Amino acid sequence: MKYIESKILANQRITDDIFVLKVAYKEDDVNAGQFFMLKSWDSELTLMRPISVFKAEEDALWFMYRTVGQGTRKMAELKRGGRIRLLGPCGNGYPCGEIKGRVAVVGGGVGIPPLCHTSKLLHEQGTTVDAYLGYRDEPFALEDFEPWCTDIFVSTEHGEEGYRGFVTDLLHPEQYDVVITCGPEVMMRKVAAMCAEKDVTCYCSLEHRMACGIGACLGCSIRTKNGMKRVCKDGPVFQSTDLMW
Amino acid sequence: MKYIESKILANQRITDDIFVLKVAYKEDDVNAGQFFMLKSWDSELTLMRPISVFKAEEDALWFMYRTVGQGTRKMAELKRGGRIRLLGPCGNGYPCGEIKGRVAVVGGGVGIPPLCHTSKLLHEQGTTVDAYLGYRDEPFALEDFEPWCTDIFVSTEHGEEGYRGFVTDLLHPEQYDVVITCGPEVMMRKVAAMCAEKDVTCYCSLEHRMACGIGACLGCSIRTKNGMKRVCKDGPVFQSTDLMW
Amino acid sequence: MDKIVNLSVEVAGVPFKNPLIAASGTFGFGEEYNELYDVGCLGGISSKGLTLHPKDGNDGIRVWETASGMMNSVGLQNPGVEAFVESGIAGMRRFGNVLIANMGGHSMEDYTTGASLLSDADIDMLELNISCPNVKSGGMAFGIKAEVAREVVSEVRKVCRKPLIVKLSPNAENIVEMALACEAAGADALSLVNTFQAMAIDLHKRKPVFNNVYAGLSGAAIKPIALRMVHSVCKQVHIPVIGIGGIYTAEDVLEFVMAGAAAVQIGTVNFNNPLAGRDILDALVELCQREGIADINEVRGIC
Amino acid sequence: MDKIVNLSVEVAGVPFKNPLIAASGTFGFGEEYNELYDVGCLGGISSKGLTLHPKDGNDGIRVWETASGMMNSVGLQNPGVEAFVESGIAGMRRFGNVLIANMGGHSMEDYTTGASLLSDADIDMLELNISCPNVKSGGMAFGIKAEVAREVVSEVRKVCRKPLIVKLSPNAENIVEMALACEAAGADALSLVNTFQAMAIDLHKRKPVFNNVYAGLSGAAIKPIALRMVHSVCKQVHIPVIGIGGIYTAEDVLEFVMAGAAAVQIGTVNFNNPLAGRDILDALVELCQREGIADINEVRGIC
Ligand SMILES: Cc1cc2nc3c(=O)[nH]c(=O)nc-3n(C[C@H](O)[C@H](O)[C@H](O)COP(=O)(O)OP(=O)(O)OC[C@H]3O[C@@H](n4cnc5c(N)ncnc54)[C@H](O)[C@@H]3O)c2cc1C
Ligand SMILES: Cc1cc2nc3c(=O)[nH]c(=O)nc-3n(C[C@H](O)[C@H](O)[C@H](O)COP(=O)(O)OP(=O)(O)OC[C@H]3O[C@@H](n4cnc5c(N)ncnc54)[C@H](O)[C@@H]3O)c2cc1C
Ligand SMILES: Cc1cc2nc3c(=O)[nH]c(=O)nc-3n(C[C@H](O)[C@H](O)[C@H](O)COP(=O)(O)O)c2cc1C
Ligand SMILES: Cc1cc2nc3c(=O)[nH]c(=O)nc-3n(C[C@H](O)[C@H](O)[C@H](O)COP(=O)(O)O)c2cc1C
Ligand code: FES
Ligand code: FES
């Protein structure tokens, strides 16, 4: 884990409120599901913002984020050539090495981007990956999943594209050995319940407000069946059966 | 007086820490010695910053500022095409209309820029103006004074250009009907004392920390021989004989 | 079509067309800001803090910027109650909104004489500042200990024939006890908070920035503490509370109302945005529409 | 050549190589930040707040950003004194700087038993937190009224065989009285301030952000108030004071020292810049050189 200042290679709006940020990065490997704490300000904002790795290349990292508040709006103003600070890679990530057989990745909203990097790593280790991607309206990042996924199922809330409704309607966990999910809590709970019913291993990537991002402040602790866990350090990925939803 | 958002036409560094900012401005006339409250942030900084008018054209205003702290450093980052907010014109300014005969403008540091607009207005009403400009090291804005001044005397602290020492050494108040001064307090006191000795009318433009800039908060009040006065509204220009230095 | 939102509120029997009041000391007597927009659009204006006798205020630096806030040590510079009655009120009246006279004092006599004079004048409400931390003697003391405050409020109550707002200091030993004491002593409403006693040092000069060493902190920085104080006071008293402290946005206004405030005052934000009063008001209407609030009184105290 | 600057200070007989201490609760037991830089460069580290028995802390949202600050409601999640003694201390020891065990409590017995256990352990100083505002019962109460604090400090003093720092809450009714009471009760040093009790509301959910409604405010926002409190306490007590509250820069450090602080703690800034400890230290050396300060002890209390 390092704290570095890095150069912005690109920062583009891809839908109404979704942006893709590409930064120079020559450090060690990034695991599936890991994230970075980002900041593009000095102390105007107090805290850094956790954003998952969307894609990792040899010399660059990609993030995909939705502008929801002050921090992400400031990030949206960044220009190519500018600088940003990164702390990471943070968190445990998905245990790709242990995952065998067929995998479904199930994402919703800005839970989708981290599943792209995950799909790639799984694909590279020879795992078959299907993607189930649920969007509010306009899909994004679909082409980024294509190289790594066998099938891609898309849903939008009002049927703008793909299935109209929730992406969980399309999922049949029994077709998979492992299901990996990231997105709104209600979605992940639903996925976890479906997996539990069919006795399929399910990993969830949680979101929680964070201060330090590295396990020092206990600002992101949650209660699990194995005691209190820090989402930033012990997570963000947890096996669904450990969670106490 | 208005509070408006305006377009930045230019923002250039002219010496190590002096910048010139040009903004679009189509409002009423600006008096000599008036200033604007500027801000190029939302609420990251609480207060707007008072900056004097350096030059006023039909469609544009010019400011010249030194980067000394957070606010001016943020201003220095502004780019052509960006936006800035302006409140003004603020303050009383020099009573040019009442000024007759020969005038000396005596400026030091960033007290120099407002004297440029003042010299122009005086020149345009037919007054003869000499400029006495004291710099720390590198002179700036000299060419801007040239059209309006008969003689320009320059000093730098270490003799990099012009006279070596203080600009007050060059001034002979008795040669003028009115002396107008703006700059560091020690300089203005010296000028005022020299004028008092020779019974020459002297106007000083004061600096004081400001909050509202329009006379409402009494954050900039000073004690004068005529009672408490607000630098932002009753000043910034005061006749030296009113001051209680 | 945009739904109509009712923003009108009542404080101690006085109707306000909306809950936004310009805070004392940040808005003069309204005149200067009225050059920028019609300040009559605000629910009310609390005058620059008056004292019985005219005051010059403090020497030296009076305002200083801090992280998301500012400090001030104006020291109650004002023309005195009499001059205000004679020549200040008329100007404020013409705005057509609620006219609140804010008054501080150095002694019990100052307070009672001033309140009595103002009671005869054409003001709508009296806001008693028992909290200004800038005046070396007096001032501060009244707002720290509940027993002392109870005494001054009781005395003022006797002579005051206008709705009486008591403005509390966050430096009070116990803000809830203070509020209860003022309520018991006859306050018709409370306003809180005034500025927090704070300090700034000029590193290079190696000395305090302010001649008085300490000065009052205001602005967004203090909002979370102010909100807590307003919330805890609202849970205990039965008179209306005017929320003050770092209110910069329509969201802030609504949060204070949800915490229980009957109305709010905006101070420091006027310096950040001289059109703040008007802008926050416009934003408040939109915010209520977005949040499905037809009447701001609906959400008062729901937190 | 750059002049050598002496930054070493002493607090209650304990030598610190520099006045920078990581603040309790923001730095864990040092381990995580040590992955980013050698935290042994700091003068000392104050451990995550311990309690006699392990604690899970609070449910719900625990951290929330505010203007130039943040609020927290961690609720003293910690492994308990015993686990700390058995497996926490060794890790902290290896950094080679001053090891401060921070301890809170819910009852007199918790405090005395904990202090006694820690006195037998390999720690350099005990920091008694009588101020954590996050635990519903106890916690808060000890830090508000001077008489209550005097009692708990006296009892702890009897069993504590390490230099005893008492950490004060800014929510104390009277910070100077509180400081004097703790000094009289036997504290070897004071540290202040802890977080300010504050509130945040989630407008859309129409309810408080934190399950406990109130939470603690820290960060740059509170610095001016913290500086005032440190200054006023330093003027009155004769024991060393560790300044805390919104210290983000070397300039801030020097201001607190000028206000009288023997050392300082940095908390929230670690989240803004995970290398803050190292960066502020480097900047402090440069700042002292620029300001012509050969020994930081020269400027202590000059304001
Ligand atoms: C491990 C992890 C990975 C994430 N990955 C992504 C991603 O790849 N793309 C993306 O768009 N978003 C992601 N998020 C959510 C993202 O961190 C928040 O949207 C962002 O912090 C909001 O900041 P803001 O300043 O714009 O919003 P504000 O609401 O102004 O933020 C205020 C505070 O709340 C925190 N916050 C707000 N929303 C959230 C949230 N949902 N989760 C955690 N903290 C929050 C912020 O960090 C900040 O401290 C991730 C969150 C976590 C915990
Ligand atoms: C009427 C008037 C006209 C001015 N005209 C010019 C000009 O034309 N060019 C120029 O370079 N400077 C001018 N100044 C000074 C300029 O306002 C300050 O340098 C600037 O506000 C510093 O802001 P900062 O954020 O960079 O510094 P900081 O030190 O970070 O400022 C912190 C606070 O101090 C205030 N402040 C700091 N220095 C001064 C100062 N010398 N006078 C008043 N307030 C100060 C700021 O407004 C702010 O509130 C003028 C000042 C006044 C009062
Ligand atoms: C420059 C200034 C002057 C003030 N003068 C007074 C005053 O005269 N009387 C008073 O009761 N409060 C005074 N206050 C306090 C404000 O009315 C308000 O209570 C405080 O600033 C907190 O609100 P804010 O954070 O919105 O500014 C003053 C505040 C400032 C910033
Ligand atoms: C997340 C967090 C957890 C904290 N936990 C503790 C604690 O366990 N014990 C304690 O004495 N203070 C605790 N504090 C208070 C800090 O040590 C410090 O006193 C306070 O944050 C003010 O300093 P700052 O503004 O530099 O953060 C905590 C603060 C934060 C932000
Ligand atoms: S954010 Fe600090 S421990 Fe997770
Ligand atoms: S700055 Fe407010 S009165 Fe001058």
Side-chain angles (χ1 to χ4, degrees):
Chain A
M1 183 159 49
K2 288 217 177 72
Y3 180 61
I4 55 168
E5 190 179 73
S6 177
K7 201 161 135 191
I8 292 162
L9 304 176
N11 189 36
Q12 276 160 355
R13 181 191 292 251
I14 57 163
T15 76
D16 195 31
D17 58 356
I18 302 276
F19 287 73
V20 178
L21 171 71
K22 182 181 179 187
V23 305
Y25 188 79
K26 289 187 209 290
E27 309 291 323
D28 26 1
D29 285 352
V30 178
N31 292 340
Q34 286 193 307
F35 65 95
F36 281 75
M37 299 292 287
L38 303 188
K39 81 166 185 178
S40 61
W41 46 85
D42 286 325
S43 53
E44 286 123 68
L45 295 181
T46 305
L47 304 177
M48 303 183 74
R49 301 296 193 252
I51 304 286
S52 300
V53 172
F54 166 44
K55 298 196 280 187
E57 294 170 355
E58 210 183 323
D59 290 337
L61 279 182
W62 299 69
F63 300 96
M64 187 176 270
Y65 59 94
R66 169 169 282 149
T67 50
V68 297
Q70 287 185 75
T72 47
R73 273 199 295 268
K74 263 191 203 292
M75 281 167 51
E77 287 167 15
L78 292 171
K79 298 264 179 300
R80 185 194 159 91
R83 324 228 19 121
I84 188 163
R85 255 133 334 161
L86 310 176
L87 170 65
C90 300
N92 57 357
Y94 299 99
C96 289
E98 298 166 21
I99 292 174
K100 303 267 163 333
R102 278 178 70 90
V103 175
V105 298
V106 185
V110 287
I112 289 172
L115 296 176
C116 180
H117 181 54
T118 306
S119 299
K120 177 184 180 226
L121 294 187
L122 288 169
H123 175 84
E124 284 176 351
Q125 72 177 31
T127 311
T128 304
V129 184
D130 287 346
Y132 294 80
L133 309 178
Y135 299 90
R136 208 166 46 194
D137 38 43
E138 197 184 340
F140 48 82
L142 285 179
E143 61 290 1
D144 300 295
F145 279 83
E146 268 162 22
W148 325 120
C149 297
T150 310
D151 273 322
I152 301 180
F153 304 90
V154 169
S155 75
T156 50
E157 282 180 37
H158 300 286
E160 288 87 343
E161 203 168 316
Y163 173 79
R164 175 195 178 123
F166 295 121
V167 75
T168 44
D169 298 349
L170 306 172
L171 178 70
H172 299 282
E174 61 277 16
Q175 299 172 345
Y176 301 95
D177 297 290
V178 172
V179 172
I180 282 178
T181 182
C182 187
E185 197 178 301
V186 296
M187 184 200 83
M188 293 199 288
R189 283 177 142 176
K190 173 80 185 165
V191 172
M194 290 166 71
C195 290
E197 205 171 293
K198 307 287 180 185
D199 214 17
V200 174
T201 305
C202 173
Y203 293 100
C204 302
S205 182
L206 300 196
E207 272 196 16
H208 207 288
R209 287 176 185 261
M210 293 179 178
C212 72
I214 63 173
C217 75
L218 308 186
C220 64
S221 292
I222 55 160
R223 210 172 278 285
T224 74
K225 291 189 182 136
N226 306 310
M228 301 302 292
K229 295 286 173 195
R230 298 163 297 182
V231 172
C232 71
K233 179 95 176 179
D234 309 314
V237 174
F238 294 92
Q239 217 172 314
S240 64
T241 46
D242 291 342
L243 296 172
M244 294 177 66
W245 283 341
Chain B
M1 183 158 48
K2 286 219 177 71
Y3 180 61
I4 54 168
E5 190 179 72
S6 179
K7 202 162 135 192
I8 292 161
L9 304 175
N11 189 36
Q12 276 160 354
R13 180 191 291 254
I14 57 162
T15 76
D16 194 33
D17 58 356
I18 303 275
F19 287 73
V20 179
L21 171 72
K22 182 180 178 186
V23 305
Y25 188 81
K26 290 187 208 288
E27 309 292 322
D28 27 2
D29 284 352
V30 178
N31 291 341
Q34 284 193 308
F35 66 96
F36 281 77
M37 299 294 284
L38 304 187
K39 81 167 184 179
S40 62
W41 46 84
D42 286 326
S43 54
E44 288 123 68
L45 295 181
T46 305
L47 304 177
M48 303 183 76
R49 301 294 191 255
I51 304 286
S52 300
V53 173
F54 165 46
K55 298 197 280 189
E57 294 170 354
E58 210 183 322
D59 289 337
L61 280 182
W62 300 68
F63 299 96
M64 186 176 271
Y65 60 96
R66 168 169 282 150
T67 51
V68 296
Q70 288 186 72
T72 46
R73 274 197 297 269
K74 263 190 202 293
M75 281 166 52
E77 288 166 16
L78 291 171
K79 299 264 179 299
R80 186 193 158 91
R83 330 242 353 137
I84 189 164
R85 255 130 336 157
L86 311 175
L87 170 64
C90 300
N92 57 356
Y94 298 99
C96 289
E98 298 167 22
I99 293 174
K100 303 266 162 342
R102 278 177 69 90
V103 175
V105 298
V106 185
V110 287
I112 289 171
L115 296 177
C116 180
H117 181 55
T118 305
S119 298
K120 177 183 180 226
L121 295 187
L122 288 170
H123 175 85
E124 284 175 354
Q125 72 177 28
T127 312
T128 303
V129 184
D130 287 346
Y132 294 79
L133 309 178
Y135 300 89
R136 208 166 46 195
D137 37 44
E138 196 184 343
F140 48 82
L142 284 180
E143 62 288 4
D144 300 295
F145 280 83
E146 267 162 24
W148 327 120
C149 298
T150 308
D151 272 322
I152 301 181
F153 304 90
V154 170
S155 75
T156 50
E157 282 180 35
H158 302 285
E160 288 88 342
E161 203 167 318
Y163 173 79
R164 175 194 180 123
F166 295 121
V167 75
T168 42
D169 298 349
L170 306 173
L171 177 71
H172 299 281
E174 63 276 17
Q175 298 173 347
Y176 301 96
D177 296 290
V178 171
V179 173
I180 282 179
T181 181
C182 186
E185 197 177 302
V186 294
M187 183 200 85
M188 292 198 289
R189 282 175 143 177
K190 173 81 186 163
V191 172
M194 289 166 71
C195 290
E197 205 173 293
K198 308 286 179 187
D199 215 18
V200 176
T201 305
C202 173
Y203 293 100
C204 302
S205 181
L206 300 196
E207 272 196 16
H208 206 288
R209 288 176 182 261
M210 293 180 178
C212 72
I214 63 173
C217 75
L218 309 186
C220 65
S221 291
I222 55 160
R223 209 172 279 286
T224 73
K225 291 189 184 140
N226 305 312
M228 301 303 291
K229 294 287 173 194
R230 299 162 297 183
V231 173
C232 71
K233 181 96 176 178
D234 307 314
V237 173
F238 293 93
Q239 215 170 319
S240 64
T241 46
D242 290 341
L243 296 171
M244 294 178 66
W245 284 342
Chain C
M1 204 192 72
D2 285 341
K3 276 173 256 124
I4 289 170
V5 177
N6 176 42
L7 290 182
S8 67
V9 300
E10 207 188 272
V11 180
V14 178
F16 286 72
K17 62 187 151 197
N18 63 62
L20 275 197
I21 303 168
S24 176
T26 66
F27 216 73
F29 300 111
E31 195 186 325
E32 292 83 9
Y33 283 100
N34 199 51
E35 285 185 43
L36 295 170
Y37 68 100
D38 172 16
V39 300
C41 72
L42 299 173
I45 299 175
S46 178
S47 76
K48 170 69 207 157
L50 304 163
T51 49
L52 183 57
H53 305 292
K55 270 180 68 71
D56 283 351
N58 296 330
D59 285 327
I61 286 180
R62 288 183 169 198
V63 292
W64 184 260
E65 176 146 351
T66 68
S68 292
M70 65 175 285
M71 292 169 65
N72 89 81
S73 179
V74 168
L76 287 184
Q77 179 186 337
N78 82 93
V81 167
E82 248 175 86
F84 172 71
V85 170
E86 270 162 35
S87 58
I89 291 182
M92 283 182 81
R93 258 296 160 235
R94 123 189 98 99
F95 305 133
N97 52 9
V98 178
L99 192 169
I100 304 173
N102 177 289
M103 189 189 67
H106 299 255
S107 65
M108 191 65 92
E109 294 68 48
D110 280 9
Y111 273 120
T112 51
T113 315
S116 160
L117 284 174
L118 286 166
S119 286
D120 291 326
D122 181 26
I123 65 168
D124 296 315
M125 306 180 91
L126 175 64
E127 182 176 47
L128 199 69
N129 172 14
I130 56 167
S131 47
C132 180
N134 290 323
V135 183
K136 269 181 180 162
S137 59
M140 180 70 146
F142 292 107
I144 304 297
K145 300 214 176 270
E147 315 87 75
V148 183
R150 185 197 302 268
E151 224 178 300
V152 65
V153 175
S154 300
E155 292 304 313
V156 169
R157 176 72 287 175
K158 287 182 198 153
V159 298
C160 177
R161 279 153 285 122
K162 300 283 181 182
L164 177 63
I165 306 166
V166 179
K167 182 164 178 180
L168 306 187
S169 166
N171 307 307
E173 293 198 339
N174 182 321
I175 196 80
V176 172
E177 270 177 31
M178 175 61 76
L180 290 169
C182 293
E183 180 181 35
D188 297 307
L190 301 172
S191 61
L192 63 150
V193 298
N194 210 312
T195 54
F196 286 75
Q197 207 187 17
M199 182 179 186
I201 287 178
D202 186 321
L203 190 75
H204 306 288
K205 298 196 183 139
R206 303 192 184 184
K207 56 175 207 181
V209 165
F210 294 101
N211 286 7
N212 277 352
V213 185
Y214 301 155
L217 179 68
S218 62
I222 66 167
K223 187 202 122 184
I225 317 180
L227 187 63
R228 183 265 294 176
M229 290 183 167
V230 167
H231 183 263
S232 57
V233 165
C234 286
K235 290 278 173 245
Q236 298 293 328
V237 300
H238 299 91
I239 49 177
V241 170
I242 300 171
I244 322 175
I247 296 175
Y248 277 36
T249 65
E251 283 77 8
D252 293 338
V253 174
L254 219 46
E255 290 174 23
F256 273 82
V257 172
M258 287 180 177
V264 299
Q265 291 184 12
I266 52 166
T268 302
V269 70
N270 293 302
F271 310 146
N272 182 259
N273 169 12
L275 303 179
R278 197 186 67 186
D279 290 352
I280 295 175
L281 195 57
D282 291 348
L284 187 58
V285 174
E286 274 177 47
L287 177 64
C288 287
Q289 284 167 343
R290 242 180 9 251
E291 294 289 327
I293 298 168
D295 183 338
I296 196 159
N297 298 287
E298 278 169 24
V299 295
R300 173 162 316 111
I302 63 173
C303 279
Chain D
M1 205 192 70
D2 284 341
K3 276 174 257 125
I4 288 171
V5 178
N6 176 43
L7 290 183
S8 66
V9 301
E10 207 188 271
V11 180
V14 179
F16 285 72
K17 63 186 150 198
N18 63 63
L20 274 198
I21 303 168
S24 177
T26 66
F27 216 73
F29 301 111
E31 197 185 323
E32 293 82 10
Y33 282 101
N34 199 50
E35 285 184 43
L36 295 170
Y37 68 100
D38 172 15
V39 299
C41 72
L42 299 173
I45 299 175
S46 178
S47 76
K48 169 68 206 159
L50 305 162
T51 50
L52 183 57
H53 305 293
K55 270 181 67 73
D56 283 351
N58 296 331
D59 286 325
I61 286 180
R62 288 182 168 197
V63 293
W64 184 261
E65 176 146 350
T66 68
S68 293
M70 64 175 286
M71 292 169 65
N72 90 82
S73 179
V74 169
L76 286 185
Q77 180 187 337
N78 81 96
V81 167
E82 250 175 82
F84 172 70
V85 170
E86 271 162 36
S87 59
I89 292 183
M92 285 182 80
R93 258 298 160 233
R94 125 189 97 98
F95 304 133
N97 52 9
V98 178
L99 192 169
I100 304 173
N102 178 288
M103 191 188 68
H106 300 255
S107 65
M108 192 66 91
E109 294 69 46
D110 282 9
Y111 273 120
T112 52
T113 316
S116 160
L117 284 173
L118 286 166
S119 285
D120 290 327
D122 181 25
I123 65 167
D124 296 317
M125 307 180 91
L126 176 64
E127 183 175 50
L128 199 70
N129 172 14
I130 55 168
S131 46
C132 180
N134 291 321
V135 184
K136 270 181 178 161
S137 60
M140 179 71 148
F142 292 105
I144 304 298
K145 300 217 177 267
E147 316 88 72
V148 183
R150 185 196 302 265
E151 225 177 299
V152 64
V153 174
S154 300
E155 293 304 314
V156 169
R157 174 74 288 176
K158 287 182 198 153
V159 298
C160 176
R161 279 153 286 122
K162 301 283 183 185
L164 177 64
I165 307 166
V166 178
K167 182 165 178 179
L168 306 187
S169 167
N171 306 307
E173 292 198 339
N174 182 321
I175 196 79
V176 171
E177 271 177 28
M178 175 62 74
L180 290 168
C182 294
E183 180 180 37
D188 297 307
L190 301 172
S191 61
L192 63 154
V193 298
N194 210 313
T195 54
F196 286 75
Q197 207 186 19
M199 183 179 184
I201 286 178
D202 187 322
L203 190 75
H204 306 289
K205 298 196 183 141
R206 302 192 185 184
K207 55 176 207 181
V209 165
F210 295 99
N211 286 7
N212 276 353
V213 185
Y214 300 156
L217 179 68
S218 62
I222 65 168
K223 189 202 120 183
I225 316 180
L227 187 64
R228 183 266 293 176
M229 290 184 169
V230 166
H231 182 263
S232 58
V233 165
C234 287
K235 289 277 173 245
Q236 299 294 327
V237 300
H238 299 91
I239 49 178
V241 170
I242 300 172
I244 321 175
I247 297 176
Y248 278 35
T249 65
E251 283 76 8
D252 294 337
V253 174
L254 219 46
E255 289 174 23
F256 273 81
V257 171
M258 288 179 176
V264 299
Q265 291 184 14
I266 52 167
T268 301
V269 70
N270 293 301
F271 309 146
N272 182 258
N273 169 11
L275 303 179
R278 198 186 68 186
D279 289 351
I280 296 175
L281 195 55
D282 291 348
L284 187 58
V285 174
E286 273 177 50
L287 177 63
C288 286
Q289 285 166 346
R290 240 180 9 251
E291 293 289 326
I293 298 169
D295 183 339
I296 194 157
N297 297 288
E298 278 170 23
V299 294
R300 172 161 316 113
I302 63 175
C303 278

